[in-house]
Amino acid sequence: MTSPQSNLPRLVRACKGEIMDRPPVWLMRQAGRYMPEYRAIREKVSFLDLCKSPDLAAEVSLQPYHAFGMDGVIMFSDILIPPEAMGLTVMFGDGGPTFADPLRSAADIDRLTVPDPVQKTGFVMDILRKLRGELAADPETALIGFAGSPWTLATYMIEGGASKHFARIKGFMFEQPEALHRLLDKLSQTIILYLNAQIEAGAQVVQLFDTWAGILSEAEYREFVLPYHQQIIDGLNRKQAPVILYVNNSRGLLHLMAEAGPDVVSVDHLTSIQAAREIVGSRFALQGNLDPVALFGSPESLIPKVNALLELGGNQGYVFNLGHGILPETPVENVRLLVNAVKASAATSETLTHAPI
Ligand code: CP3
């Protein structure tokens, strides 16, 4: 787990458990509305057109990297692109994403296809290829691909958009579990092909986002989430790209995230990194978990939180990140402070290592 492979990007080395002078840092949803550069582009082009224009999407992916120097560049896209390729019509409005034709019956599920990722979502692979070209001069920075996990995608596809009580997907779970399993299985097949195509196109790390798996009980998670995480993780070309698994609201579910066998367990801000390490053990790297709202505070409140997290995370098997995506109202200057503080920890750790005892 710790053999040095220093030609790999810092983020990849951290995912593999290598010891280093400081952890890598990137932020979930780091490209987006908190950046004026992003808002300027969005004034001219709709969100979906942006996702489907490789030049613009690559530019937006690089905006946070150019502004703050994160150690990872996550491709700009959305988790709801594959469901569109499977046959649904997705729309992104001010109230968040919605489907025009949500799944209401087993027959709707059976009509969905498992799309060829290159044929149907070739624009995603074009974005990744462009980004690898742009990052060729900086082999320390990793290109990150991603997908939504089956449960979260199924939630949007069945509810038709954001939901409060998840009554429709739970209805499927209670009344027609076989149909829901068929959907989750189709989604898993789709995501395996999609992520492997991303790896082929140049993604060096991939993250699975399961934003809504945390609404389930442990028994439900074991039946409707874990087998699909396992299926996907087992189906990926892991030699080429380590896998990060993120579940929001994962308190009480972390041992099941570990059971899926990712390289990295991404922890939300409700569980401490220390507690998470005790639960998942040392076989996994951890990612997380600053509260995104901490970025709204003064530098005097933010920096001690960042330093405390650096202390807990340590220099081995740890990726500095937020506990959930960055919020649109986040002050840009605090993002800069955060990234700089993580980077400055390299100097501190060197002083500590070499200081006379
Ligand atoms: O991380 C990055 O910078 C890459 C881009 C990225 C987006 N969405 C862009 C986006 C990623 C990794 C996602 C993942 C995503 N999308 C998730 C999982 C992560 C999480 O935060 O839980 C989910 C649940 C979605 C679905 C989605 N897309 C929602 C709920 C929304 C609306 C809410 C919101 O933040 O606006 C979107 C739209 C979306 N996806 C935007 C961006 C930048 C905002 C669209 C705009 O510009 O108007």
Side-chain angles (χ1 to χ4, degrees):
M1 194 180 175
T2 55
S3 63
Q5 304 182 44
S6 311
N7 54 331
L8 294 171
R10 179 181 288 273
L11 174 61
V12 176
R13 287 186 279 135
C15 293
K16 290 172 180 278
E18 221 182 273
I19 299 173
M20 49 190 109
D21 58 350
R22 65 163 176 88
V25 53
W26 70 281
L27 306 180
M28 286 188 264
R29 309 275 302 257
Q30 65 191 18
R33 284 161 300 180
Y34 72 101
M35 294 191 73
E37 299 92 316
Y38 174 82
R39 294 196 299 269
I41 288 189
R42 278 283 283 108
E43 266 175 31
K44 290 179 263 167
V45 45
S46 76
F47 179 74
L48 210 46
D49 285 344
L50 175 52
C51 289
K52 294 179 181 179
S53 312
D55 284 333
L56 281 179
E59 183 183 335
V60 166
S61 315
L62 291 167
Q63 285 176 342
Y65 165 73
H66 285 144
F68 315 112
M70 281 87 167
D71 297 300
V73 170
I74 182 163
M75 66 160 184
F76 189 81
S77 187
D78 195 79
I79 61 166
L80 299 179
I81 294 294
E84 188 189 43
M86 293 171 82
L88 294 187
T89 304
V90 64
M91 295 167 304
F92 288 89
D94 287 341
T98 51
F99 283 99
D101 42 7
L103 304 172
R104 289 288 140 85
S105 66
D108 289 347
I109 289 173
D110 294 335
R111 267 194 295 276
L112 296 172
T113 60
V114 173
D116 178 307
V118 175
Q119 250 170 36
K120 294 281 186 180
T121 48
F123 53 89
V124 170
M125 314 313 149
D126 290 342
I127 299 168
L128 287 163
R129 271 189 294 270
K130 275 180 198 295
L131 289 171
R132 268 312 280 276
E134 296 282 339
L135 291 172
D138 179 8
E140 262 290 279
T141 300
L143 179 56
I144 307 167
F146 71 87
S149 281
W151 175 265
T152 290
L153 296 178
T155 301
Y156 283 103
M157 293 162 86
I158 290 175
E159 298 291 337
S163 173
K164 201 164 168 194
H165 300 297
F166 301 95
R168 288 187 193 271
I169 190 163
K170 285 189 176 175
F172 261 98
M173 187 168 79
F174 299 145
E175 311 291 335
Q176 308 183 68
E178 320 75 35
L180 182 56
H181 276 301
R182 281 209 301 286
L183 173 60
L184 295 168
D185 186 67
K186 246 181 204 180
L187 283 163
S188 296
Q189 292 178 44
T190 299
I191 296 308
I192 291 170
L193 295 172
Y194 184 62
L195 285 177
N196 278 335
Q198 290 185 28
I199 294 169
E200 175 97 31
Q204 293 161 298
V205 178
V206 292
Q207 175 154 329
L208 265 179
F209 283 95
D210 218 340
T211 306
W212 296 119
I215 66 160
L216 296 175
S217 72
E218 181 170 339
E220 290 162 346
Y221 185 103
R222 235 182 222 294
E223 179 174 352
F224 293 95
V225 175
L226 178 58
Y228 301 102
H229 285 171
Q230 280 167 331
Q231 197 176 318
I232 292 171
I233 289 169
D234 291 348
L236 295 182
N237 185 353
R238 308 242 326 253
K239 286 216 168 57
Q240 288 284 108
V243 184
I244 305 174
L245 176 61
Y246 174 78
V247 172
N248 190 33
N249 253 315
S250 58
R251 201 152 49 174
L253 298 167
L254 283 156
H255 60 296
L256 298 180
M257 291 175 72
E259 230 177 274
D263 296 276
V264 184
V265 172
S266 190
V267 183
D268 68 30
H269 42 289
L270 301 180
T271 307
S272 79
I273 289 291
Q274 205 169 16
R277 199 159 265 151
E278 275 161 27
I279 294 164
V280 309
S282 56
R283 268 192 317 130
F284 302 95
L286 295 181
Q287 172 174 275
N289 68 347
L290 188 75
D291 186 337
V293 176
L295 280 165
F296 293 177
S298 61
E300 293 71 27
S301 84
L302 172 64
I303 294 301
K305 288 192 178 70
V306 172
N307 288 335
L309 190 49
L310 284 165
E311 185 82 17
L312 276 183
N315 286 354
Q316 183 177 16
Y318 173 59
V319 177
F320 197 104
N321 207 319
L322 303 179
H324 197 180
I326 193 166
L327 294 161
E329 304 81 12
T330 301
V332 166
E333 272 318 305
N334 278 346
V335 178
R336 193 184 317 281
L337 283 176
L338 181 157
V339 173
N340 287 345
V342 178
K343 290 191 156 180
S345 71
T348 331
S349 84
E350 209 165 17
T351 325
L352 286 179
T353 326
H354 299 300
I357 301 161

